[in-house]
Amino acid sequence: MNKLRDILRLILTSALSDRQIGEAVAVSKNTVRRYRHLAQQRELTWEDIKANLPSELESLLNKTERRLSQKRLPDFADIHSQLALPSVTLQLLWEEYRLASADDALSYSQFTHHYRQYTRHLKLSMRQTHVPGQKAFVDYSGKRPHYVHADTGELVPVELFIGVLGYSVCTFAFATESQGTQDWIQANVLMLDYFGGVPEIIVPDNLKAAVVKPGVNPQINRAYLEFADHYGTVIMPARSRHPKDKSKAEVSVQIAQRWILARLRNMQFFSRSELNQEIRRLCDELNLRPFKKMPGCRFERLVQEERQHLKPLPTAKFEWGIWSARQAVGPDYHVSVNGAWYSVPFHLVGESIEARATLQSVEIFHRGARVASHARAEVGKTVTDGTHQPPQHRAYAERTPEKLMDWARGIGPGTLAVVEQQFNRSVPALGLPACDSLKKLGRQYGVDRLEQACARALQIQSPTVKSVRSLLGTRRYLDTHPDETRQVSLPLHHNVRGSSYYAGKEMHHAD
């Protein structure tokens, strides 16, 4: 996901502060403030720019090469841990920090000042205030439910996904086969459906299905980013070794273990769907339980106070897909995706593309823009879109008996009859060259004259290309006499000797 696109979407569609947007997208608040100022200057709206490619947004807002200089802050948590080692001083750590890049490094006085500010707050605990519709926390329970395999009788352990809204504390639970990416995203999709809306931020733990590489600038799983982009939300992982970032999820996991898992311990299920039906019932029961220290319950708080602040669900659910490795388009302008071959526009031959395959479709992208979309085919099959072919290939692909008869049918019955005659043989494909010649005659003389010549060829019982060509060249196709009476016997005349004359003559010779 492009950071600039996310920054603009949050600036133009949410009420988040510059600092909150910076934390969500892993940039500084000053960067967010700069783009907010540029967006206001250009009077941009999200509807106007949401279809733009990342490169277009970059050129729209970053037309100059000048950038505001910013100092690079060190990781003070690492600095603090390094100081616990023997003989390590702040002076030494500052010099090592400055070696990476002296131009954007803090001075020693600023380095020590920021470190002192950091240590003052090490033991403070901030009480988090949750805004309606702002955050949802997601995690897996450490304890796992199970069901009984119907055929073998073995216990099959599954994972328990927990999702909770920060403000209403409305809780969702769902059992998945694993903690894999597909199961993780499916659970997130079902969670948003259960809540009836989309929060501005989703806070996961640092599991691999969500975060490929944790840290100060975490790398989010690509499929999870696509999910977030589809629903118009932001993924903001909890910091490693900072459980208070996701305290709401931790507490909800404990509650789910007590009010859901504990209830399941004496029940038996023979499929994951049966298990999930009971989990849904227990989850609804939990959300309807009255609060102990607040009026109402989780579900009432969701419906009455939070749901109106959630973003609406998109019309189509997110469909999870697998990205293939980048590959160059071959000279046949087809690319291989999961064992099948799919066409791309022929001008992309030699270019690098990547493909995303779902259960139903295959999408092909070039430089971030979708260039082709096909229905998914079986292994070994080839799918070709005629619009992707160069003109000469498209013309050759249309050279079939069916296509040629469709062409002749559009001209007239005479032409259609002559074309059908060309394919009236043991191997119909042998008539293709003759039909190519007929099409050439149509271009040379016009389709009206071709239809007249074909009709005349049928009349003289010679529906061949040679006859049609001769009729067109000599213009004899104009000499049509459909009502003329044909002579079937010799006329009566005194000069005609008759058969009796020749019979007598033959007898005379025989004597």
Side-chain angles (χ1 to χ4, degrees):
M1 185 183 293
N2 183 269
K3 286 188 176 182
L4 176 55
R5 188 173 186 273
D6 289 341
I7 292 171
L8 292 174
R9 176 164 58 83
L10 292 176
I11 288 173
L12 299 173
T13 63
S14 74
L16 296 178
S17 66
D18 294 344
R19 182 183 297 278
Q20 290 173 323
I21 295 175
E23 291 175 354
V25 191
V27 298
S28 72
K29 65 177 182 180
N30 293 330
T31 300
V32 178
R33 185 183 299 115
R34 173 177 175 269
Y35 284 119
R36 188 186 294 276
H37 179 66
L38 290 173
Q40 290 173 349
Q41 279 187 335
R42 290 164 172 75
E43 299 180 349
L44 299 179
T45 65
W46 179 241
E47 292 299 323
D48 294 335
I49 65 172
K50 67 180 182 180
N52 288 19
L53 296 176
S55 57
E56 295 172 342
L57 293 176
E58 184 72 26
S59 62
L60 177 64
L61 293 175
N62 296 324
K63 294 184 178 179
T64 62
E65 297 297 326
R66 296 181 59 189
R67 295 291 185 272
L68 296 176
S69 60
Q70 297 178 1
K71 296 299 183 181
R72 174 174 50 89
L73 291 177
D75 184 358
F76 287 112
D78 182 63
I79 298 294
H80 187 70
S81 63
Q82 291 290 329
L83 279 175
L85 300 176
S87 304
V88 176
T89 64
L90 275 175
Q91 179 71 32
L92 174 63
L93 294 174
W94 174 73
E95 292 175 359
E96 292 177 348
Y97 149 76
R98 196 171 182 274
L99 281 175
S101 175
D103 293 334
D104 60 348
L106 296 171
S107 64
Y108 180 72
S109 60
Q110 286 293 313
F111 181 88
T112 55
H113 168 74
H114 285 292
Y115 174 72
R116 286 193 300 269
Q117 293 294 113
Y118 170 79
T119 56
R120 287 178 185 175
H121 301 284
L122 282 179
K123 296 183 179 180
L124 297 181
S125 179
M126 185 183 73
R127 186 177 185 86
Q128 296 188 27
T129 301
H130 296 285
V131 178
Q134 186 180 64
K135 289 185 180 180
F137 300 85
V138 290
D139 201 358
Y140 274 113
S141 167
K143 299 179 181 179
R144 301 192 294 173
H146 64 268
Y147 65 89
V148 179
H149 196 285
D151 296 329
T152 63
E154 297 179 355
L155 296 183
V156 181
V158 294
E159 303 291 342
L160 184 64
F161 172 90
I162 306 294
V164 57
L165 286 170
Y167 179 78
S168 63
V169 207
C170 189
T171 303
F172 170 80
F174 183 75
T176 64
E177 291 288 351
S178 68
Q179 292 191 15
T181 303
Q182 185 172 4
D183 288 332
W184 170 258
I185 291 178
Q186 180 197 17
N188 276 263
V189 170
L190 294 176
M191 175 192 71
L192 297 182
D193 288 343
Y194 184 78
F195 292 154
V198 183
E200 293 182 0
I201 300 170
I202 296 179
V203 182
D205 203 356
N206 287 277
L207 73 164
K208 286 293 184 182
V211 183
V212 176
K213 183 179 179 181
V216 179
N217 295 313
Q219 181 182 349
I220 310 299
N221 186 301
R222 183 173 187 175
Y224 202 28
L225 286 176
E226 290 178 355
F227 156 83
D229 188 49
H230 181 82
Y231 284 96
T233 187
V234 172
I235 307 300
M236 186 188 296
R239 294 174 295 173
S240 300
R241 299 183 298 278
H242 287 74
K244 293 181 181 179
D245 284 5
K246 53 185 177 68
S247 58
K248 188 74 69 173
E250 298 288 346
V251 173
S252 297
V253 165
Q254 293 177 0
I255 294 174
Q257 290 173 350
R258 294 170 186 169
W259 292 100
I260 297 178
L261 285 179
R263 303 283 187 88
L264 297 174
R265 72 187 190 282
N266 295 324
M267 300 181 186
Q268 196 172 53
F269 308 95
F270 294 95
S271 68
R272 188 167 61 89
S273 61
E274 290 182 8
L275 174 61
N276 272 322
Q277 288 178 8
E278 183 62 20
I279 290 175
R280 173 61 65 88
R281 189 188 70 80
L282 294 173
C283 193
D284 292 341
E285 186 178 305
L286 170 63
N287 289 322
L288 290 171
R289 287 182 63 85
F291 288 122
K292 290 184 178 181
K293 299 182 180 180
M294 293 188 300
C297 63
R298 291 171 172 82
F299 185 72
E300 289 180 0
R301 196 171 169 88
L302 167 65
V303 174
Q304 297 175 7
E305 302 180 44
E306 184 159 28
R307 185 168 286 168
Q308 59 185 320
H309 297 283
L310 296 173
K311 298 179 181 180
L313 292 167
T315 54
K317 287 187 178 182
F318 176 74
E319 190 175 6
W320 181 81
I322 301 176
W323 285 90
S324 64
R326 285 186 173 273
Q327 58 180 300
V329 180
D332 63 349
Y333 48 89
H334 283 69
V335 294
S336 175
V337 182
N338 296 334
W341 293 87
Y342 302 89
S343 67
V344 299
F346 69 92
H347 64 266
L348 294 178
V349 169
E351 294 289 330
S352 177
I353 59 91
E354 54 185 348
R356 179 178 181 269
T358 69
L359 293 176
Q360 304 296 330
S361 64
V362 171
E363 296 176 301
I364 303 170
F365 296 83
H366 175 248
R367 296 180 180 177
R370 189 176 73 172
V371 295
S373 178
H374 301 277
R376 188 157 180 177
E378 298 178 359
V379 175
K381 298 292 185 180
T382 299
V383 181
T384 304
D385 186 338
T387 61
H388 295 163
Q389 297 177 302
Q392 63 273 24
H393 289 192
R394 191 180 310 132
Y396 186 83
E398 294 176 352
R399 189 172 172 263
T400 64
E402 294 77 13
K403 292 287 182 67
L404 286 167
M405 283 193 286
D406 287 342
W407 164 80
R409 194 174 291 112
I411 296 176
T415 307
L416 176 62
V418 172
V419 168
E420 287 176 340
Q421 186 65 30
Q422 310 312 310
F423 295 126
N424 187 20
R425 58 186 78 195
S426 58
V427 182
L430 295 176
L432 290 174
C435 292
D436 291 340
S437 297
L438 287 173
K439 291 186 73 173
K440 185 176 180 181
L441 291 173
R443 292 191 296 270
Q444 182 178 356
Y445 292 98
V447 293
D448 292 337
R449 294 182 180 181
L450 175 64
E451 171 62 19
Q452 293 177 0
C454 289
R456 180 61 172 159
L458 292 170
Q459 189 180 14
I460 64 176
Q461 299 182 3
S462 181
T464 65
V465 176
K466 183 177 180 181
S467 294
V468 173
R469 183 183 293 109
S470 176
L471 289 168
L472 287 168
T474 60
R475 299 178 63 85
R476 283 182 294 152
Y477 65 89
L478 298 174
D479 300 331
T480 56
H481 304 284
D483 299 329
E484 182 182 81
T485 302
R486 296 182 62 187
Q487 180 175 307
V488 295
S489 62
L490 291 174
L492 296 177
H493 196 275
H494 65 276
N495 288 333
V496 178
R497 297 177 181 178
S499 59
S500 59
Y501 169 82
Y502 292 101
K505 192 173 183 179
E506 289 177 0
M507 292 177 60
H508 175 75
H509 284 295
D511 292 341

